[in-house]
Amino acid sequence: DAKDPSNYYFEPSDHLIGLSRNLGLKTFYRLGTSIEHTGDVHFNAKVPADFDKVAEVFAGTVRHYNRGWANGKEWDIRYWEIWNEPDGMRNMWCEGNRGNTSDEKQYQEDARYMRDKFVKLYVTVLKRLKGEFPDIKVGGPAMCDMNEPYFRELLKACQSADVAPDFISWHYYGNGVNEILGTVDRARKMCDEMGFADCGLVLNEWHYMGCTFKELRSTDPVVQDRVWNGPGSHNGTDSAAFTLSVLARFQASALDQSYYYGCSHKGAWGFKDEFSRYNKNYYALKAFGEIVKDYPVLGEVKTTETMTTLVAKSADGSRTALLLADYRGLPGDIVLETKGLPNGEPKARIIDETRNLEPIEVHCRCNRLVLPKCSRESSSYLVIF
């Protein structure tokens, strides 16, 4: 009985969300089950038998955290996402042996069947939650990528049911700066064309990927060395420059929210390796965090083939920050033509193969700023005037 509080087990989530709230963090709550990278064996990621009951369970969860139900909270969690990666048929949305075939025609038939089932669940849950909780934002479903055909079927079903998601969400794992920004442009165009101009855009998992997922999980020492060592590695200098380029360009995009994957993990997806040493991505995000904290007046974002720049000022206008990420650029010093920069020598720090946001000497003469680059590898700079 989904309306009986005794059938819920909220304590672990209460504890974890409470810890994050103590740090001042807000919660973006994903309703659904956890991913299962377990081949053909699934326990949690199976297609539910009763979509209406699932909707009632999710309503009970929202009620617990926002309205105090079932010895609950009044935490005003605003964003509620329906499911996760439903287009990952063998990991998140499983039914029997569907999708486990090398026959392309059969695979496409399975994909359509599974998509149609999820679309029904999505619309059922969306209508149920928006009906009882008009003050929250409900959307999703965190597609594996900006899967436009799948999204269009989802939005078409929402139109037919006379209900609108407050946001759509998707993930990105790759190494193309233009490509990840392109997913934002395509999402905005798609929503506008289909009559969802007020629909928000949320990219709530993203990370640089210079290899395949299979290579990332490989136990072959040769593959491991390539994936984990050097500038092109998973959390190396390419990854740092990619991260800063993307964050800067997000500021001038139609994107509403982004969530970097991940934070607390060690190893593949975190800021530290297995020995708790900070990686290059830590220093990239530390640099961007300084801009967010100390330079809230954002200026222009500019891009060339390899370089992205972002200018920002302190609230009182007394200091100017220049972020520059050179992602897989050419060797040799970087020379920028500048206008209107303050007098005096700026202070600069660099992230490259041997330095982690450490000071370097730069020169600003005759409207030219020279940033030293020691190799052709990716380099990132934070310059303060």
Side-chain angles (χ1 to χ4, degrees), residues 21-253:
R21 285 176 59 83
N22 290 340
L23 296 172
L25 298 174
K26 295 181 180 180
T27 300
F28 182 106
Y29 199 112
R30 193 248 295 168
L31 295 159
T33 189
S34 294
I35 198 164
E36 292 185 308
H37 295 295
T38 51
D40 296 330
V41 181
H42 297 98
F43 301 97
N44 300 312
K46 295 178 181 178
V47 175
D50 187 337
F51 293 171
D52 289 321
K53 175 166 276 192
V54 170
E56 288 300 321
V57 172
F58 289 171
T61 306
V62 178
R63 203 179 303 120
H64 172 79
Y65 284 110
N66 283 4
R67 296 188 178 175
W69 183 73
N71 194 29
K73 316 294 181 181
E74 294 184 4
W75 282 350
D76 190 30
I77 297 175
R78 296 286 292 160
Y79 287 87
W80 297 84
E81 180 176 61
I82 303 169
W83 221 257
N84 172 70
E85 296 190 350
D87 46 343
M89 279 193 295
R90 303 306 302 161
N91 295 327
M92 279 300 307
W93 189 244
C94 308
E95 182 179 279
N97 208 35
R98 293 186 184 276
N100 189 20
T101 175
S102 58
D103 182 88
E104 181 62 22
K105 183 179 178 181
Q106 183 61 51
Y107 180 84
Q108 292 302 329
E109 289 180 4
D110 289 348
R112 280 192 295 272
Y113 172 84
M114 296 295 279
R115 182 198 65 203
D116 292 345
K117 274 208 155 186
F118 179 78
V119 166
K120 183 179 178 181
L121 171 72
Y122 186 89
V123 172
T124 300
V125 173
L126 184 61
K127 285 184 75 73
R128 176 66 183 85
L129 295 185
K130 294 299 288 182
E132 184 175 347
F133 310 101
D135 55 325
I136 64 173
K137 304 287 187 183
V138 187
M143 297 287 191
C144 294
D145 52 35
M146 225 310 283
N147 191 334
E148 190 170 339
Y150 203 133
F151 269 123
R152 286 186 176 274
E153 290 298 320
L154 203 66
L155 293 177
K156 195 184 304 179
C158 289
Q159 286 175 325
S160 299
D162 195 27
V163 64
D166 294 299
F167 63 89
I168 60 169
S169 56
W170 69 97
H171 301 160
Y172 178 89
Y173 294 96
N175 57 19
V177 176
N178 289 332
E179 184 179 54
I180 188 173
L181 268 296
T183 67
V184 179
D185 294 338
R186 288 194 293 118
R188 183 72 277 152
K189 182 180 179 182
M190 175 190 69
C191 289
D192 292 350
E193 286 178 352
M194 297 190 69
F196 294 90
D198 294 330
C199 186
L201 306 180
V202 179
L203 178 56
N204 60 353
E205 281 187 31
W206 65 276
H207 192 289
Y208 166 89
M209 280 279 286
C211 61
T212 65
F213 277 100
K214 182 178 180 180
E215 290 171 326
L216 189 72
R217 298 165 182 146
S218 173
T219 57
D220 184 328
V222 176
V223 177
Q224 282 189 327
D225 184 63
R226 175 165 50 82
V227 169
W228 296 111
N229 297 312
S233 62
H234 194 60
N235 293 308
T237 51
D238 281 2
S239 188
F242 173 87
T243 298
L244 285 171
S245 299
V246 167
L247 282 171
R249 290 182 62 177
F250 278 170
Q251 310 311 311
S253 77

Side-chain angles (χ1 to χ4, degrees), residues 129-382:
L129 295 185
K130 294 299 288 182
E132 184 175 347
F133 310 101
D135 55 325
I136 64 173
K137 304 287 187 183
V138 187
M143 297 287 191
C144 294
D145 52 35
M146 225 310 283
N147 191 334
E148 190 170 339
Y150 203 133
F151 269 123
R152 286 186 176 274
E153 290 298 320
L154 203 66
L155 293 177
K156 195 184 304 179
C158 289
Q159 286 175 325
S160 299
D162 195 27
V163 64
D166 294 299
F167 63 89
I168 60 169
S169 56
W170 69 97
H171 301 160
Y172 178 89
Y173 294 96
N175 57 19
V177 176
N178 289 332
E179 184 179 54
I180 188 173
L181 268 296
T183 67
V184 179
D185 294 338
R186 288 194 293 118
R188 183 72 277 152
K189 182 180 179 182
M190 175 190 69
C191 289
D192 292 350
E193 286 178 352
M194 297 190 69
F196 294 90
D198 294 330
C199 186
L201 306 180
V202 179
L203 178 56
N204 60 353
E205 281 187 31
W206 65 276
H207 192 289
Y208 166 89
M209 280 279 286
C211 61
T212 65
F213 277 100
K214 182 178 180 180
E215 290 171 326
L216 189 72
R217 298 165 182 146
S218 173
T219 57
D220 184 328
V222 176
V223 177
Q224 282 189 327
D225 184 63
R226 175 165 50 82
V227 169
W228 296 111
N229 297 312
S233 62
H234 194 60
N235 293 308
T237 51
D238 281 2
S239 188
F242 173 87
T243 298
L244 285 171
S245 299
V246 167
L247 282 171
R249 290 182 62 177
F250 278 170
Q251 310 311 311
S253 77
L255 195 65
D256 294 292
Q257 299 182 37
S258 79
Y259 294 77
Y260 185 80
Y261 191 89
C263 178
S264 65
H265 304 282
K266 289 182 180 179
W269 304 112
F271 298 153
K272 299 179 180 181
D273 65 14
E274 64 273 25
F275 303 109
S276 292
R277 296 174 299 198
Y278 289 123
N279 57 35
K280 299 296 180 180
N281 283 328
Y282 168 82
Y283 294 101
L285 287 156
K286 186 175 188 297
F288 204 82
E290 290 186 29
I291 292 177
V292 170
K293 179 182 177 183
D294 298 326
Y295 301 88
V297 184
L298 294 183
E300 193 172 13
V301 177
K302 289 189 175 183
T303 60
T304 66
E305 187 172 342
T306 66
M307 284 191 289
T308 298
T309 60
L310 168 67
V311 176
K313 288 184 178 292
S314 60
D316 63 4
S318 65
R319 289 169 295 135
T320 301
L322 169 67
L323 174 71
L324 184 146
D326 184 30
Y327 176 55
R328 297 179 174 176
L330 298 172
D333 292 348
I334 296 170
V335 181
L336 299 180
E337 298 291 336
T338 63
K339 289 182 180 180
L341 288 176
N343 295 323
E345 291 296 328
K347 295 180 179 180
R349 286 173 288 163
I350 187 173
I351 303 169
D352 63 8
E353 191 62 18
T354 60
R355 290 168 291 192
N356 296 319
L357 206 56
E358 295 166 15
I360 57 168
E361 186 175 347
V362 298
H363 300 285
C364 193
R365 297 283 187 277
C366 302
N367 292 327
R368 300 177 82 217
L369 177 64
V370 181
L371 302 173
K373 188 176 179 184
C374 297
S375 68
R376 71 170 298 138
E377 313 300 351
S378 295
S379 299
S380 304
Y381 305 81
L382 181 59

